[in-house]
Amino acid sequence: MHFSIQNILFLLVALAGFGLFAWQASRIRANVLVGRDRDVSGNVNERLWKTLLVAFGQQKMFKRLTPALLHLIVYVGFIVINIEVIEIMVDGLFGTHRFLQFAGPAYSALTGTNEVLGALVVGAVTAFWWRRNVGVVRRFTGVEMRAWPKLDANVILYVEVVLMAALFLMNTADLKAHQLQNLPMPGAFPISQFLTGLLPDSVATLEVLERVGWWAHIVGILLFLNYLPSSKHFHIILAFPNVYFSRLIPQGQFSNVDSITHEVKAMMDPSYPVPAPATNADGSLATPTPFGAKDVDDLAWTNLLNAYSCTECGRCTSVCPANITGKLLSPRKIIMDTRDRMEEKYNAPLIFDPALYGQAAKHDPQEQLDKENHTLLRGYVTPEELWACTTCNACVEACPVNINPLDSILEMRRFLVLEESAAPNSLNVMFSNIENNGAPWAFSPSDRFNWADELFVADKKKLEVRS
């Protein structure tokens, strides 16, 4: 073990990389906490089991076998190869070389597995690139898949290939340098052993190439880590909390507005104890909470976590009956619009103090030219999109990380109905009928069983004819 300027440089690079990521994570956490409170406590065992199956086990991915197998290769490769990143971190900090070689046969198994997985990852990434850019899979298209989402998906694929190339350069150069010096090489390298012929026979040059591969691999990982918060690939981190906090109640069960529930119960039972109005810290009446959602801060924090967890895979939109039949609705667009609106509206908090999270994290929005009208609803999402939804829950069922676009759609529709009375005319007629007649139909309650009388008369005439 020896220390050098290289170790100091590595320490500075690592601190900068992880520090910048921590700042970006704090910004996104604060944005998520802008949302309304939602109680997701309890049911720990059920939530852990769901996380194990859906997030770790990729359960919902296997509804489509081909992309599931390709994704599994990349997913397992990401996990296993990152064990070697631990070794690189130790080597970089303490000046060791292949620190884990003390594990003997286990180390050989690890390096051999890494190489095989690295080659498989390159193959899987190539297949993903082909499907996205040449195969023209329908779900990779749509109005929401603008220049940046398309570029973002490809950038990630290119980065993964570069990281694997750096890994193989490091291993191959190290292996050949050991061979030229007749030194034993710790580990097993089933892929790199076939690549040694591509490198020069100079030990000094090989040592430089090994360092180039080593630095390129670890710096590439740190750059990739800091690219994630701006990318759809942030789901590789947020998928796990998103699945853990996903709803457990039946998908078809709608939520009620507590204030409306209390009012209805009070109307039906005068003795019902209506909760006192909310007050501010100074004792004044708090501003009433609007019904539904007009902007991102009207949604629950779990909805905002959904937005940052979205993989933009389009599975939700590909099974949406409204989208399939040519309607404007795209569940993926709703989620992407929510994330874009959050990024537009809120500044990044330049803080690291955990004590400033919670209510204090609900930081002030940026100045807008038109704060009243430029909101999530109508600014990004149109009422036409919302009313096209059939509430079938197909999008919720299809999402591999348990995102719930329907929840956000219903909250925005609730705002249209209860705050703006902007429901379609057919629904307004139904509402009026329910209010006046106690049923969706335009019939007085006293006439509700006329159909039975008419049916009785018709049946009586049939019997008379037969007799």
Side-chain angles (χ1 to χ4, degrees):
M1 180 185 300
H2 65 280
F3 296 93
S4 65
I5 188 67
Q6 187 176 183
N7 303 127
I8 297 174
L9 179 60
F10 175 80
L11 176 62
L12 295 176
V13 170
L15 289 175
F18 289 115
L20 180 58
F21 177 77
W23 172 77
Q24 294 193 78
S26 72
R27 176 184 68 85
I28 289 176
R29 186 178 189 274
N31 284 353
V32 169
L33 291 176
V34 164
R36 293 182 183 176
D37 292 335
R38 173 171 286 175
D39 184 12
V40 290
S41 59
N43 303 297
V44 174
N45 290 337
E46 185 177 359
R47 292 187 180 280
L48 288 175
W49 180 244
K50 179 174 285 192
T51 304
L52 182 65
L53 289 179
V54 177
F56 284 97
Q58 310 282 291
Q59 180 187 53
K60 297 174 78 173
M61 286 291 297
F62 281 87
K63 294 181 179 180
R64 306 187 186 197
L65 186 59
T66 299
L69 292 176
L70 295 174
H71 190 274
L72 182 64
I73 291 172
V74 177
Y75 172 65
V76 174
F78 173 80
I79 293 175
V80 176
I81 292 174
N82 275 346
I83 298 176
E84 189 171 27
V85 174
I86 299 175
E87 179 184 58
I88 292 177
M89 295 293 296
V90 174
D91 289 345
L93 290 173
F94 299 104
T96 55
H97 183 70
R98 296 193 177 272
F99 169 76
L100 294 178
Q101 63 178 290
F102 68 84
Y107 184 69
S108 296
L110 173 63
T111 55
T113 302
N114 280 351
E115 291 237 323
V116 172
L117 285 174
L120 290 174
V121 166
V122 172
V125 166
T126 303
F128 276 136
W129 186 91
W130 179 270
R131 282 168 54 83
R132 184 170 291 275
N133 297 281
V134 181
V136 192
V137 178
R138 182 182 179 273
R139 62 189 174 92
F140 295 147
T141 62
V143 295
E144 65 272 23
M145 299 305 290
R146 303 175 296 276
W148 167 245
K150 288 184 178 180
L151 177 62
D152 176 39
N154 284 327
V155 165
I156 291 295
L157 299 179
Y158 300 144
V159 168
E160 289 174 346
V161 171
V162 170
L163 290 177
M164 294 304 100
L167 176 66
F168 284 120
L169 175 61
M170 177 184 72
N171 288 343
T172 304
D174 199 15
L175 176 62
K176 188 167 185 178
H178 278 73
Q179 291 174 344
L180 290 176
Q181 299 175 84
N182 294 318
L183 296 174
M185 176 68 178
F189 303 93
I191 305 299
S192 294
Q193 65 181 344
F194 297 109
L195 302 177
T196 54
L198 301 176
L199 300 182
D201 294 330
S202 168
V203 173
T205 303
L206 290 172
E207 289 177 348
V208 171
L209 290 176
E210 188 272 340
R211 287 292 88 187
V212 169
W214 187 91
W215 276 101
H217 189 65
I218 189 60
V219 172
I221 287 174
L222 291 175
L223 291 174
F224 178 72
L225 180 67
N226 282 281
Y227 178 74
L228 289 181
S230 302
S231 165
K232 75 188 188 72
H233 278 72
F234 203 34
H235 75 271
I236 67 176
I237 296 176
L238 289 187
F240 303 98
N242 192 73
V243 172
Y244 181 84
F245 291 119
S246 58
R247 68 184 266 160
L248 300 178
I249 62 176
Q251 297 296 354
Q253 181 175 328
F254 290 93
S255 62
N256 292 322
V257 179
D258 289 339
S259 58
I260 296 178
T261 300
H262 294 319
E263 291 293 334
V264 171
K265 288 183 176 180
M267 290 172 59
M268 299 178 66
D269 180 8
S271 64
Y272 177 79
V274 178
T279 59
N280 297 316
D282 59 1
S284 60
L285 289 178
T287 303
T289 302
F291 299 122
K294 181 180 182 181
D295 212 347
V296 288
D297 40 13
D298 296 325
L299 293 169
W301 66 267
T302 51
N303 300 132
L304 305 186
L305 179 62
N306 283 177
Y308 279 113
S309 305
C310 180
T311 70
E312 298 177 12
C313 65
R315 292 180 180 225
C316 54
T317 295
S318 69
V319 299
C320 174
N323 187 272
I324 292 172
T325 54
K327 306 296 191 301
L328 287 181
L329 174 64
S330 168
R332 173 175 59 188
K333 177 181 177 296
I334 300 293
I335 298 299
M336 292 173 66
D337 285 344
T338 302
R339 182 178 58 204
D340 291 345
R341 174 58 179 157
M342 272 192 291
E343 290 294 313
E344 175 192 54
K345 184 174 182 181
Y346 290 98
N347 287 314
L350 300 176
I351 56 173
F352 291 95
D353 185 2
L356 294 180
Y357 288 139
Q359 290 298 321
K362 300 187 175 183
H363 38 280
D364 294 329
Q366 297 182 32
E367 291 295 323
Q368 302 287 339
L369 294 177
D370 188 352
K371 290 183 179 179
E372 293 299 323
N373 297 322
H374 191 68
T375 56
L376 177 62
L377 178 57
R378 291 196 174 87
Y380 285 82
V381 182
T382 64
E384 185 177 356
E385 294 173 71
L386 300 175
W387 292 117
C389 178
T390 65
T391 65
C392 66
N393 273 293
C395 58
V396 182
E397 179 62 28
C399 181
V401 294
N402 280 11
I403 291 171
N404 192 331
L406 180 59
D407 197 19
S408 298
I409 291 172
L410 291 179
E411 288 301 315
M412 285 186 275
R413 293 210 308 205
R414 181 172 277 162
F415 182 89
L416 289 172
V417 173
L418 297 179
E419 292 285 345
E420 297 186 346
S421 299
N425 184 61
S426 56
L427 288 182
N428 285 328
V429 171
M430 182 192 70
F431 294 151
S432 178
N433 288 335
I434 291 176
E435 182 179 0
N436 297 322
N437 304 321
W441 303 281
F443 300 106
S444 170
S446 60
D447 297 331
R448 191 166 294 170
F449 287 98
N450 287 352
W451 64 272
D453 295 336
E454 294 171 359
L455 184 62
F456 174 77
V457 172
D459 288 343
K460 185 177 180 180
K461 288 183 178 179
K462 290 179 182 179
L463 291 173
E464 290 176 351
V465 170
R466 290 177 182 175
S467 61

